[in-house]
Amino acid sequence: MENISHTVNQIQYVTNFQDFVSTSFHGKINAICWDRKLVGDFSEIVKQLEFHENITELHPNDLLELQLSEQGQLAREILLKDLKTLKSSWCISNT
């Protein structure tokens, strides 16, 4: 097993999206981690997505078409909200 204890000083943790996108790397920091609790069944969504070479582009309409359980719907809501937040953040930063 690899000893990763030396990486503790290289990761900065944040608690919200705004800090995640606005925190700068400094000193030995080479990773920023948004530490949050997610609810829902994300694996249910992954199982229904079609992957091309282990990657896929996720579109809101694709998510909305999925037939999901209650837990899958919770995960979908988070993904849709995150996509919307990322899009609005990207539009603001590129104006």
Side-chain angles (χ1 to χ4, degrees), residues 40-58:
D41 187 354
F42 290 86
S43 67
E44 182 179 353
I45 293 172
V46 171
K47 290 174 186 171
Q48 292 189 41
L49 294 176
E50 192 174 314
F51 289 87
H52 304 282
E53 298 183 26
N54 292 330
I55 194 167
T56 191
E57 189 172 347
L58 193 57

Side-chain angles (χ1 to χ4, degrees), residues 54-91:
N54 292 330
I55 194 167
T56 191
E57 189 172 347
L58 193 57
H59 296 279
N61 287 341
D62 297 333
L63 286 170
L64 292 169
E65 291 175 2
L66 299 177
Q67 298 298 313
L68 300 168
S69 68
E70 185 176 324
Q71 289 299 306
Q73 291 175 38
L74 290 172
R76 174 173 46 203
E77 290 173 19
I78 291 171
L79 290 171
L80 289 170
K81 182 180 178 211
D82 284 355
L83 285 169
K84 184 177 178 180
T85 303
L86 284 168
K87 185 176 181 181
S88 66
S89 173
W90 184 83
C91 289

Side-chain angles (χ1 to χ4, degrees), residues 7-14 20 23-26 28-34:
T7 63
V8 172
N9 296 331
Q10 295 174 295
I11 302 170
Q12 180 165 342
Y13 291 89
V14 297
F20 183 68
T23 300
S24 299
F25 294 98
H26 59 277
K28 293 183 177 185
I29 301 296
N30 64 10
I32 299 170
C33 177
W34 180 8

